[in-house]
Amino acid sequence: MTVRIGLVLPDVMGTYGDGGNAVVLRQRLLLRGIDAEIVEITLNDPVPAELDLYTLGGAEDYAQRLATKHLIRYPGLQQAASRGAPVLAICAAIQVLGHWYETSAGERVDGVGMLDLTTSPQPKRTIGEVASTPLLDGLTQPLTGFENHRGGTVLGSAARPLAKVTKGAGNRLGDGYDGAVQGSVIATYLHGPCLARNPELADYLLSQVVGPLPPLELPEVDLLRRERLAAPRRV
């Protein structure tokens, strides 16, 4: 079996190096002897519905608009999620997959509608290290990442937060939570790339496709996590 990892719109949703999440997923499978490949899906491609899992990254306002139009025009991601394929959405991708989001200029843009949430500009941008305690069954280790966003996201009743923030802002100032989980979609504001910092989350996503996975001993990843979890809020 070859696990096919969809890297969705890296040409417009790859501002913060979030394409690295797909690389982490592939590498953690290869280290266990499981074949894997990354399928890049650009604005020139329809979104295939038959891949095994998908990742989306961050972007600025104009790129978000391009991504939103493309995902609505080619609903392969929505079809894949409806059959239970895991989807990891980072930062701006949270906003794109919601009901609507407002740009920094105050224009409201209809989203893809995969997540029951909305996003509006906050009074100030939230930037810095984030740490949080996961609320998703199957995750036991603290999550770590770097946030850089002005959008403030509010969850509806169909979505639940991914984690409770212990350092940083998360979805919006004063909210105390980060991310959203709805069906097979996991969303978070954590850059880093997120899965390089959080291998347990990476393996959680992979296990939805290939089943239980044996542990990996990677001291360099453990060192990275210790350093980032101890890092000050502002860098």
Side-chain angles (χ1 to χ4, degrees):
M1 153 180 201
T2 298
V3 176
R4 295 169 299 167
I5 303 161
L7 178 54
V8 182
L9 302 180
D11 48 342
V12 289
M13 299 286 283
T15 303
Y16 303 101
D18 296 311
N21 290 315
V23 176
V24 171
L25 290 169
R26 180 182 63 186
Q27 187 66 11
R28 293 186 72 82
L29 288 172
L30 294 177
L31 287 171
R32 293 174 166 109
I34 301 172
D35 288 337
E37 66 175 344
I38 297 172
V39 179
E40 290 197 4
I41 305 150
T42 72
L43 288 176
N44 294 319
D45 309 308
V47 182
E50 67 274 8
L51 303 182
D52 296 299
L53 70 165
Y54 298 78
T55 68
L56 303 89
E60 303 300 330
D61 284 352
Y62 180 67
Q64 281 183 243
R65 188 188 299 273
L66 292 175
T68 304
K69 289 181 178 179
H70 193 79
L71 293 174
I72 292 173
R73 181 182 181 188
Y74 300 106
L77 185 68
Q78 298 89 306
Q79 294 165 7
S82 70
R83 63 171 170 80
V87 176
L88 176 67
I90 304 294
C91 196
I94 300 176
Q95 303 170 18
V96 166
L97 297 188
H99 295 305
W100 54 260
Y101 58 90
E102 287 185 14
T103 68
S104 57
E107 181 181 358
R108 183 172 293 189
V109 179
D110 289 336
V112 176
M114 293 174 64
L115 293 173
D116 183 18
L117 54 84
T118 59
T119 304
S120 303
Q122 301 182 98
K124 64 178 182 178
R125 197 169 189 87
T126 55
I127 304 174
E129 291 289 323
V130 181
S132 60
T133 301
L135 301 174
L136 180 63
D137 290 342
L139 298 182
T140 61
Q141 300 175 5
L143 297 171
T144 169
F146 188 89
E147 65 181 344
N148 183 359
H149 61 101
R150 192 181 172 197
T153 294
V154 178
L155 306 188
S157 60
R160 65 187 192 277
L162 171 64
K164 184 172 179 58
V165 173
T166 56
K167 175 173 61 180
N171 288 343
R172 60 177 176 142
L173 290 166
D175 179 67
Y177 294 98
D178 173 68
V181 179
Q182 185 172 339
S184 63
V185 181
I186 295 177
T188 176
Y189 274 102
L190 301 181
H191 297 294
C194 176
L195 299 184
R197 291 183 175 219
N198 300 287
E200 185 183 50
L201 177 57
D203 284 351
Y204 176 90
L205 292 164
L206 293 172
S207 69
Q208 309 306 302
V209 178
V210 300
L213 291 164
L216 291 175
E217 298 295 331
L218 298 172
E220 64 274 22
V221 175
D222 296 335
L223 176 60
L224 171 65
R225 282 183 53 76
R226 288 196 299 271
E227 289 178 343
R228 292 298 89 202
L229 285 168
R233 164 64 176 164
R234 298 220 172 251
V235 297

